[in-house]
Amino acid sequence: MHISQIDTQEALDRLLNLSLQIPLRTNRLQTAVPFLQILKENSPTLLSKGPLKPSLCIILQGKTRIQFGEDRIEYKPGNFLATSVSMPVTGQVLEAATDAPYLALQIALPPGEVAAVAIEADLKLQPKDELHPGIFVGKPGLEVLEGFEKLLRLSQNPKAAKFLAPAVKREIIYWLLEGEEGARFYHNMLWHQEASGISKVIDWITHNFDSTISIEELVELGNMSVSSLHYKFKEVTGMTPLQYQKRLRLQEARRLLLDGANVTETALRTGYQSSTQFSREYKRLFGLSPVQYIRSHNEGEQPAEH
């Protein structure tokens, strides 16, 4: 094994050991570092659907699969998963055990922060003028892993974390951009924001998913033709604008139902005019009708999802 590979593996091992020393009462721990979370599962999971915001996630142990639209990707220890736009996805932990849990570290990574570091550090990156999916997998360099190690150690000192963690995050972004995949990382995180107009469209739908979508309005917002809108949106998210909106609606509906809202109220709050249509689409996505889903949850079962 090459020396740099040995150093990288040793850094991953240190991160894993540090993470295992932190007591986790739930499968997602928000640390004292405001933008850092630790993800853990003691066994493989069923399919789970939810939103994934712009972020960077490094897997330390186990294996997981993410699906968005018709695209499916898997990543394992030593990989990072980066998301450049808000995405409704389906995820599943494939490998995990009590004595070897699935463990990953995730930091929020708004594209604006990536742009700020690139500009202030005067990095000369030349992204290609083409679209790629808003989710991608890569390998972090040693300096990136060492940055995550600093964040984990800072998480044990809330006072220091509040003051020092933002600088460490900028350091991580810098090394991501300066690494072997720097141009690709910059391209995926920022080209959607700067050139395609898709970021504006995605942001509008995300904040107005309960409203009626007008393709004409989206075309004007993104400053593109109808055909260009559909092509670019599908390239980035794996879905059409209407499919994307429907997924956001139904994921929000599930949250409302589990918080105690009834079916009729949930349908109206997520933009459906018909409870019948809502129930039909909910069952198509989650495998159970809203009533069955609530009953299954209240009885302590974990509903399987299609």
Side-chain angles (χ1 to χ4, degrees):
M1 185 180 291
H2 194 273
I3 292 178
S4 62
Q5 292 177 308
I6 295 175
D7 291 340
T8 298
Q9 186 57 53
E10 289 178 348
L12 284 168
D13 291 341
R14 291 196 301 273
L15 281 174
L16 177 61
N17 291 332
L18 279 172
S19 299
L20 289 171
Q21 293 170 22
I22 298 174
L24 301 179
R25 297 181 180 178
T26 64
N27 59 2
R28 182 181 290 269
L29 172 68
Q30 175 60 62
T31 70
V33 174
F35 51 82
L36 172 67
Q37 293 186 328
I38 303 176
L39 315 180
K40 179 182 179 181
E41 292 289 351
N42 289 321
S43 61
T45 66
L46 300 173
L47 290 173
S48 177
K49 297 177 174 68
L52 188 59
K53 296 182 178 181
S55 59
L56 180 78
C57 185
I58 293 181
I59 185 169
L60 305 178
Q61 186 167 264
K63 183 179 180 182
T64 190
R65 175 187 295 147
I66 296 290
Q67 183 170 340
F68 55 104
E70 299 176 356
D71 296 321
R72 177 182 297 178
I73 56 178
E74 294 183 359
Y75 68 117
K76 55 189 179 179
N79 289 150
F80 69 68
L81 181 80
T83 312
S84 59
V85 292
S86 296
M87 299 275 283
V89 301
T90 298
Q92 182 178 21
V93 173
L94 302 175
E95 294 180 5
T98 303
D99 59 345
Y102 165 79
L103 274 172
L105 303 175
Q106 184 181 53
I107 61 172
L109 199 63
E113 295 185 16
V114 178
V117 171
I119 292 170
E120 292 174 31
D122 195 26
L123 300 179
K124 306 301 184 183
L125 300 164
Q126 298 296 327
K128 296 180 180 179
D129 187 16
E130 58 186 19
L131 279 173
H132 290 285
I135 295 179
F136 57 100
V137 172
K139 285 189 174 296
L142 176 61
E143 295 87 355
V144 172
L145 296 176
E146 290 174 340
F148 271 85
E149 183 177 348
K150 291 178 185 178
L151 290 180
L152 269 185
R153 295 188 186 281
L154 279 174
S155 70
Q156 304 305 301
N157 186 335
K159 183 178 179 180
K162 183 178 180 181
F163 181 72
L164 297 174
V168 177
K169 186 179 187 181
R170 287 169 58 82
E171 182 181 332
I172 289 173
I173 294 172
Y174 176 86
W175 288 117
L176 282 167
L177 294 171
E178 278 286 84
E180 292 182 5
E181 299 183 271
R184 174 172 174 254
F185 182 83
Y186 179 84
H187 170 86
N188 280 274
M189 291 300 292
L190 296 176
W191 197 80
H192 302 146
Q193 315 293 319
E194 296 176 346
S196 72
I198 286 299
S199 177
K200 292 181 180 178
V201 175
I202 290 174
D203 186 65
W204 189 91
I205 297 176
T206 300
H207 290 91
N208 298 276
F209 64 84
D210 56 346
S211 303
T212 300
I213 281 185
S214 164
I215 295 299
E216 289 72 21
E217 290 179 357
L218 297 183
V219 164
E220 183 177 353
L221 181 66
N223 191 28
M224 64 188 80
S225 67
V226 173
S227 59
S228 181
L229 168 68
H230 283 283
Y231 168 75
K232 291 181 177 181
F233 203 97
K234 190 77 178 288
E235 283 292 299
V236 174
T237 69
M239 290 169 270
T240 67
L242 292 178
Q243 290 171 334
Y244 185 90
Q245 179 199 36
K246 183 183 296 184
R247 186 65 63 86
L248 290 178
R249 282 183 170 184
L250 294 173
Q251 289 176 353
E252 173 64 8
R254 180 180 60 174
R255 186 191 69 79
L256 292 172
L257 290 170
L258 296 182
D259 282 348
N262 62 45
V263 175
T264 301
E265 177 189 2
T266 299
L268 291 174
R269 289 176 63 181
T270 52
Y272 285 93
Q273 302 302 314
S274 165
S275 295
T276 302
Q277 181 192 9
F278 165 63
S279 296
R280 182 170 59 250
E281 293 188 357
Y282 192 95
K283 185 173 183 178
R284 187 178 297 127
L285 181 63
F286 292 115
L288 298 172
S289 70
V291 173
Q292 292 171 328
Y293 198 96
I294 295 171
R295 184 183 302 124
S296 177
H297 182 268
N298 290 341
E299 291 174 354
E301 301 176 6
Q302 182 179 4
E305 298 177 1
H306 290 176

